[in-house]
Amino acid sequence: MARRTTRGIKKSYVEAPIVFDDEDEPIPVTSKDSDDEDFAAPEPAQEEEDDKDEEADMADPTSEEDEAEDDEDDGDADGKKNDASSQPKKHRNTGAGMIQSRKGFHDIPHYPLETRIVTRVYAGPLRRYARYSALRDSMYGPEYNRIKIIWDLEMRWAEFPALPPRYLPHEPQGICPSPWLAPAFERTQEQNAARWYNNYYAKSPEVQQCHLLPSHEGEHLIPQAGGDLVTFIGPWDRQGEFRFAQGQSLTITASGLPTSTSEDQEKSSTGWMLDIGSIPLAMGWVPSLVNTKQVLAIASIPFADQEPRRQEDGADKHQDPGAMAGGCVQLWEFTPKEAGKTLARPSTTPARLTRTLCFSWGRPKRLQWCPVPFESVGSYGLLAILAGDGKARIIDVKKVEEGSAPVYEWVQSPVVTLGIDDDYNNKVTCLSWVNINRIALGHSDGSVTLWSIFPRKMLQRVGVHTTYVIDICSAYPSNPYLVASIPVGGCATLTDLSQPSSELTYFPVPAISFQPNMLCWNETMQGFMALYPSSTPNTTIAFLHHRFFCQARSICTGPNTITCISAGATHPFVLAGCADGSLFSCNALQKLFKQKGEPLQKIKVMEHEYRPIRRPELQGKDSSRPVRGAVRILQGFLPEPNDDPRTEKRKELDRKKKLERMKTASGKKKGRPRKNGGTVEDLDREAELDDKLASRVVTHEPLTRLTTIVWNPNMQYSCWAACAMASGIIKVMDLGVQ
């Protein structure tokens, strides 16, 4: 049996003997000739072409739709080729120098030694050009129930291309809990958490040790800004100037102006703005099943930690171990309106600082709440903090009395400290909760570990990577033991901790990543959102389904370097923050199942710009209150096409070439293109695309960037999102639309 492998001809199996000629004769087994030239076989051209095709597939992160269009255009040409071949051809033996076996189907091809050929390719049932029904059935099928679920979710939010709806779960277009979980899953988890809390942690003799601090001592432990911040907010044509002091909060309206101003006629609040006076690195909403006040935990560091070092400053203060030993986490409270027929909305009550956790383990780098609420036991929950000493610690954060003054708490010893002490200089670099009593950690040696909180025990250690793990994320709640990890240098990997030795896959393109907060799980779409893994710098967000992790799908492309990503817990809308201070939002589920020619949109929610004040004469007239810088926040942008500028540029060039060919073929002089490059509209469109491409390499002020974004995971507050800016501004927004 021999298989016809001529490209363009329908593959079939035909009876044909293996034919040898004088130049291609098999070598007997008993031959003692050791000349290398006798064993050299001609290169298999078919495999090379296939490998090059796969390499082209992996090169462009946004070429799925273009490939599908090219395949459709080439359909007629392939049909002509099929008609041209009617007689089967005799096949020569392409395995000269190899032992032939007539019983085998075909010989094992040689491993390609050419470095330009990509050998890490995906050869599964899902192809890159698969779209809509084929993509849906492959990712979420073949069970009809699962296909129907994702179909209903797509139709549910089809009329909302950029921002989530502000409707209750029982409404046809409202947000909804995860359809991939059993009914009453969250209530069951809360009961299990309360049982675990009472049976294990509360009865432990070595409980968390902490004591309260006086207000004047606790205030000095919070990073100090060194001056006020001048902000320009409001509509672009009538912005107002406001001066923010550290710890001050304002309620803002839909136009961006404070509710206290008389210029804005709309007095209803749509969010808050506050100045924490330091660089926020991580945030997290307290999980809750009760419609109460929302609490946001913020981990921040002083501005001096990221200031550029200058030789004229003399001794380097950053080298002092004691200078960066202290750290704190702030908890801010936000009061909602009375819930009506829609989701909860912000009230006009300013946000307030309720609690500050202080410690001596170093600067806080990451934090994450346990996803299961602990309200029934009088606690906000378990908070995991990654400190500067390379250890992860779990802290039990108690609730604060209603209307009390800010509480400053010094934590001497946490509930548990996690880290590998046996290895030299092996630090914890990232963390992710797996369930109530399990947490996954990434380490500087590239390994991923699974820990039990109580009793403290390392359950697993898997050597997933060989370099520093920069991000890790669990697929809680539907697939908690699926853990995705991204190293500084290498391939993004998905590991099943229930079977880590066999169940492991990765995206086959190595990349270099230095930015955290770039990996998150979307429960609605059953996949991970991350920066598109690429060997070249890009600004595209990719979706990696947990069943097809090795094949990414582009979701959104930013105008500048992506710095943070967040996906909703009860909806498929994704927020992306950039280094130029812009924040974008789009419907990821609609983008995933995009049909050919369907126009999709994304929206720029806001744009943040920071300018420092370096000259003393520009400081404020009041010397007692210096100014550290100025901030401008713009909003009210119109929706724009959700497409990659490179794809738009290519389509525009193809359109111009097509029109030029049509005019040339018609022979009409009136319609011939001009030598200056086309009409004014074409030139404007081309210049606009060039500006979009050029914006990706523009550098900005370091404190202009967005550092972290987080959607509120609680059901009634699913449309609330907190956005942290490197200037020290935190903006909490209600992004729901009707």
Side-chain angles (χ1 to χ4, degrees):
M1 298 286 289
R3 185 175 184 179
R4 300 179 60 191
T5 58
T6 304
R7 183 176 290 275
I9 302 177
K10 185 178 180 180
K11 296 181 180 180
S12 60
Y13 296 97
V14 296
E15 289 285 346
I18 299 178
V19 180
F20 305 103
D21 54 13
D22 297 336
E23 298 178 357
D24 194 8
E25 185 174 354
I27 297 176
V29 178
T30 58
S31 175
K32 299 181 180 181
D33 195 354
S34 61
D35 191 1
D36 293 341
E37 297 180 356
D38 295 338
F39 291 89
E43 297 180 358
Q46 180 64 29
E47 283 80 7
E48 283 190 2
E49 294 179 1
D50 294 339
D51 292 338
K52 291 180 181 178
D53 293 342
E54 295 290 347
E55 183 177 7
D57 289 345
M58 306 300 297
D60 190 359
T62 58
S63 60
E64 300 100 347
E65 298 126 359
D66 297 337
E67 290 178 3
E69 294 174 3
D70 295 340
D71 294 340
E72 294 174 0
D73 295 339
D74 296 341
D76 298 338
D78 292 342
K80 294 180 181 179
K81 292 181 181 179
N82 293 339
D83 298 338
S85 60
S86 58
Q87 298 296 332
K89 299 180 180 179
K90 293 184 178 181
H91 295 266
R92 295 180 55 193
N93 175 28
T94 59
M98 301 168 56
I99 301 175
Q100 300 292 335
S101 175
R102 297 179 184 274
K103 298 181 180 180
F105 169 63
H106 66 291
D107 298 320
I108 298 177
H110 289 279
Y111 186 84
L113 301 179
E114 178 62 44
T115 57
R116 294 174 299 176
I117 299 177
V118 178
T119 57
R120 294 177 176 178
V121 296
Y122 168 75
L126 181 61
R127 309 306 300 173
R128 282 179 59 86
Y129 52 78
R131 293 185 299 181
Y132 206 63
S133 60
L135 179 65
R136 178 199 61 205
D137 296 345
S138 298
M139 279 191 174
Y140 300 93
E143 297 85 356
Y144 174 75
N145 293 334
R146 295 179 62 87
I147 295 177
K148 187 178 184 302
I149 288 176
I150 198 64
W151 178 278
D152 294 341
L153 292 177
E154 180 192 2
M155 301 303 296
R156 189 181 189 93
W157 298 299
E159 298 181 3
F160 300 90
L163 295 174
R166 193 187 290 114
Y167 295 122
L168 295 174
H170 65 270
E171 300 185 46
Q173 295 179 327
I175 54 98
C176 65
S178 175
W180 313 102
L181 299 174
F185 173 82
E186 294 182 350
R187 289 293 181 186
T188 304
Q189 287 292 96
E190 185 183 21
Q191 295 173 3
N192 295 337
R195 189 181 304 110
W196 173 86
Y197 188 94
N198 295 325
N199 293 342
Y200 294 96
Y201 167 66
K203 296 181 180 180
S204 175
E206 299 179 359
V207 295
Q208 175 177 298
Q209 299 294 329
C210 57
H211 63 273
L212 300 181
L213 297 174
S215 300
H216 64 277
E217 293 183 10
E219 292 176 355
H220 290 290
L221 296 177
I222 298 178
Q224 300 300 315
D228 295 346
L229 193 62
V230 177
T231 59
F232 297 90
I233 55 178
W236 66 272
D237 56 345
R238 52 186 182 94
Q239 284 197 315
E241 179 181 345
F242 301 90
R243 191 160 177 168
F244 262 98
Q246 182 175 357
Q248 182 180 355
S249 171
L250 290 177
T251 56
I252 57 176
T253 60
S255 64
L257 292 172
T259 55
S260 58
T261 59
S262 58
E263 298 180 4
D264 198 353
Q265 299 178 357
E266 181 63 34
K267 296 297 182 179
S268 61
S269 173
T270 59
W272 297 267
M273 279 184 59
L274 55 103
D275 181 17
I276 63 172
S278 52
I279 303 177
L281 298 183
M283 295 189 301
W285 291 97
V286 173
S288 173
L289 295 180
V290 183
N291 299 332
T292 58
K293 298 180 180 181
Q294 299 299 288
V295 178
L296 179 68
I298 305 172
S300 61
I301 61 174
F303 292 108
D305 291 359
Q306 294 189 358
E307 287 182 354
R309 306 177 185 179
R310 297 180 297 178
Q311 296 181 356
E312 57 267 21
D313 291 342
D316 191 357
K317 60 182 178 181
H318 298 276
Q319 299 297 330
D320 184 12
M324 304 178 66
C328 70
V329 174
Q330 304 178 37
L331 273 67
W332 287 78
E333 184 182 77
F334 303 89
T335 304
K337 269 185 183 179
E338 292 293 335
K341 297 183 179 180
T342 61
L343 298 180
R345 306 190 66 174
S347 67
T348 56
T349 304
R352 70 182 189 96
L353 178 66
T354 59
R355 181 185 292 270
T356 301
L357 304 174
C358 306
F359 43 82
S360 60
W361 313 317
R363 307 294 194 213
K365 296 182 177 180
R366 312 281 182 91
L367 63 80
Q368 188 177 11
W369 290 96
C370 177
V372 182
F374 284 83
E375 296 171 323
S376 59
V377 294
S379 174
Y380 283 134
L382 299 180
L383 179 63
I385 300 176
L386 175 60
D389 61 352
K391 302 290 184 181
R393 291 172 174 85
I394 311 299
I395 300 177
D396 180 20
V397 184
K398 300 294 184 180
K399 285 187 176 182
V400 180
E401 295 182 3
E402 187 73 20
S404 61
V407 176
Y408 299 92
E409 186 176 7
W410 180 267
V411 183
Q412 296 175 337
S413 61
V415 174
V416 66
T417 301
L418 305 177
I420 302 177
D421 300 327
D422 299 337
D423 294 356
Y424 172 74
N425 202 26
N426 189 359
K427 298 182 178 181
V428 179
T429 58
C430 49
L431 51 86
S432 179
W433 285 92
V434 175
N435 58 25
I436 301 171
N437 195 32
R438 298 289 186 271
I439 189 171
L441 305 178
H443 296 267
S444 57
D445 65 345
S447 62
V448 174
T449 57
L450 180 65
W451 291 79
S452 169
I453 305 301
F454 190 91
R456 180 188 183 276
K457 185 177 182 181
M458 184 173 65
L459 304 177
Q460 290 182 6
R461 185 179 182 184
V462 186
V464 180
H465 305 286
T466 58
T467 59
Y468 189 105
V469 183
I470 192 69
D471 252 330
I472 189 172
C473 182
S474 169
Y476 180 89
S478 57
N479 300 280
Y481 286 96
L482 292 181
V483 175
S485 55
I486 297 178
V488 169
C491 300
T493 305
L494 179 63
T495 308
D496 186 357
L497 294 181
S498 62
Q499 297 178 351
S501 60
S502 58
E503 297 297 332
L504 184 145
T505 184
Y506 58 89
F507 190 84
V509 175
I512 297 178
S513 304
F514 295 105
Q515 182 67 36
N517 301 325
M518 298 290 289
L519 179 65
C520 60
W521 167 260
N522 184 256
E523 177 66 18
T524 303
M525 299 177 62
Q526 292 287 285
F528 297 89
M529 299 292 174
L531 185 67
Y532 203 107
S534 175
S535 56
T536 58
N538 71 91
T539 61
T540 302
I541 299 175
F543 170 73
L544 300 99
H545 194 271
H546 76 277
R547 294 174 61 182
F548 296 93
F549 190 83
C550 49
Q551 187 178 120
R553 299 279 170 162
S554 61
I555 297 298
C556 179
T557 300
N560 203 268
T561 303
I562 304 293
T563 57
C564 47
I565 303 173
S566 179
T570 59
H571 53 74
F573 293 86
V574 177
L575 291 175
C578 302
D580 62 351
S582 58
L583 176 64
F584 284 86
S585 176
C586 71
N587 187 340
L589 186 60
Q590 192 178 60
K591 176 68 174 179
L592 179 64
F593 295 122
K594 174 186 177 182
Q595 300 188 41
K596 182 179 179 181
E598 179 183 4
L600 298 182
Q601 292 179 337
K602 62 183 177 183
I603 189 171
K604 182 188 289 189
V605 179
M606 52 161 283
E607 183 178 282
H608 165 259
E609 184 179 3
Y610 173 81
R611 287 292 181 269
I613 296 181
R614 296 185 175 93
R615 292 188 294 174
E617 60 269 18
L618 296 180
Q619 299 290 342
K621 297 181 180 180
D622 187 2
S623 59
S624 62
R625 297 180 57 191
V627 176
R628 71 176 190 267
V631 163
R632 181 179 66 177
I633 298 179
L634 297 175
Q635 61 185 51
F637 297 90
L638 295 175
E640 56 186 87
N642 186 11
D643 204 349
D644 192 342
R646 293 174 296 175
T647 304
E648 295 182 24
K649 180 74 173 179
R650 185 164 54 248
K651 290 180 179 179
E652 182 68 17
L653 294 177
D654 294 342
R655 186 186 66 84
K656 294 177 65 176
K657 290 180 180 180
K658 184 178 180 180
L659 290 176
E660 185 176 352
R661 288 195 300 267
M662 293 175 59
K663 293 178 181 179
T664 304
S666 63
K668 296 181 180 179
K669 296 183 179 180
K670 185 182 298 185
R672 291 183 182 275
R674 295 181 294 179
K675 294 183 179 180
N676 59 0
T679 62
V680 177
E681 292 78 6
D682 294 339
L683 295 177
D684 293 342
R685 175 61 177 167
E686 188 173 354
E688 180 183 356
L689 295 177
D690 291 338
D691 292 341
K692 289 183 178 181
L693 292 174
S695 66
R696 299 186 302 166
V697 295
V698 176
T699 58
H700 299 268
E701 184 71 29
L703 298 185
T704 297
R705 73 187 188 276
L706 304 185
T707 56
T708 179
I709 314 168
V710 57
W711 283 103
N712 194 319
N714 302 322
M715 181 69 63
Q716 290 291 333
Y717 309 89
S718 301
C719 297
W720 290 19
C723 177
M725 308 157 211
S727 62
I729 294 292
I730 305 293
K731 189 172 183 180
V732 177
M733 303 166 286
D734 182 8
L735 299 179
V737 295
Q738 289 180 336

